[in-house]
Amino acid sequence: DYGLFIAQEITDAARYSEYDLVIMGTKGEHNKMEKLLGSVTTNVMMQAPCPVLAIPEEATYKGVHELAYATNFQPSDQLAIDQLMDFAEPLEANVHFVHVETKVPVSTNVEDYFPGGAVPNGFSDFTIVNNNSVVEGLDNYIKANEIDVMALFIPKRRLWERLFHSSVTKKMTLHTRIPILVFRE
């Protein structure tokens, strides 16, 4: 395909061909404009009708044994968790759930994050990390637990929110050294 808007061409192809997954390489940010607006990969992640796996240029494949899912404990997580479990099962990979709490004091009791203490089905291995920066907290977790793939969920946002929201997904994609798997609503 040829076109001026590469991210749109990729998402259109994924939509019209009903792809199950888009896999893309990423080199991180190249300039200040990409830092502000994002790269082709981050734009595809925001628009694609299916999950997107972004693989950094410096990533080394050593198998996929440990997957981590960054969660804010939202009800909409369940859709992403179901897809993540489907992804992890044939790989026989362990799935970790991690939440970065930026407020102090932090509760390490996961039931405190759910109304009535009812933990959704599929949530099992939880870690709550306390850090002022979500990206730094996730990076530390990735290193400490030898995570092979980090999974994130992008909720739907209106155009105005997308323009001014500081996206953890975008920051992780531009700075991480491991693949990022992104699910959308």
Side-chain angles (χ1 to χ4, degrees):
D1 286 341
Y2 295 93
L4 292 174
F5 304 103
I6 299 167
Q8 190 61 51
E9 296 293 330
I10 294 169
T11 56
D12 286 348
R15 184 172 290 110
Y16 300 129
S17 298
E18 298 180 7
Y19 292 160
D20 295 322
L21 178 68
V22 172
I23 301 172
M24 300 182 71
T26 183
K27 292 184 178 188
E29 65 192 56
H30 294 106
N31 56 47
K32 290 181 183 191
M33 186 64 96
E34 274 191 5
K35 186 174 183 176
L36 178 66
L37 299 176
S39 65
V40 170
T41 303
T42 59
N43 284 310
V44 170
M45 288 175 164
M46 303 297 172
Q47 300 172 28
C50 59
V52 176
L53 180 63
I55 303 173
E57 182 176 41
E58 61 274 354
T60 303
Y61 181 75
K62 56 182 178 165
V64 179
H65 308 288
E66 304 296 327
L67 292 162
Y69 177 75
T71 180
N72 276 336
F73 303 118
Q74 299 299 315
S76 54
D77 275 341
Q78 192 61 55
L79 174 66
I81 291 167
D82 292 343
Q83 291 178 59
L84 178 61
M85 293 307 198
D86 289 344
F87 184 83
E89 184 178 0
L91 299 171
E92 298 180 2
N94 296 318
V95 179
H96 305 254
F97 296 93
V98 61
H99 172 74
V100 179
E101 182 61 64
T102 58
K103 299 175 186 141
V104 177
V106 62
S107 171
T108 56
N109 185 0
V110 85
E111 286 81 11
D112 292 343
Y113 290 88
F114 295 99
V119 179
N121 187 25
F123 280 59
S124 54
D125 178 15
F126 282 109
T127 302
I128 297 172
V129 174
N130 191 12
N131 196 301
N132 292 334
S133 163
V134 173
V135 173
E136 186 179 305
L138 291 174
D139 276 341
N140 293 342
Y141 186 85
I142 288 167
K143 290 172 190 165
N145 293 280
E146 298 181 13
I147 300 298
D148 300 308
V149 176
M150 185 75 204
L152 304 164
F153 174 71
I154 301 175
K156 283 187 181 178
R157 291 194 173 97
R158 294 180 287 246
L159 177 61
W160 187 255
E161 291 173 310
R162 285 193 310 249
L163 289 174
F164 294 101
H165 180 68
S166 175
S167 172
V168 169
T169 304
K170 186 188 320 181
K171 289 177 185 174
M172 288 297 296
T173 303
L174 295 175
H175 294 92
T176 189
R177 295 185 185 273
I178 67 167
I180 300 289
L181 179 61
V182 174
F183 299 99
R184 288 183 29 107
E185 273 184 293

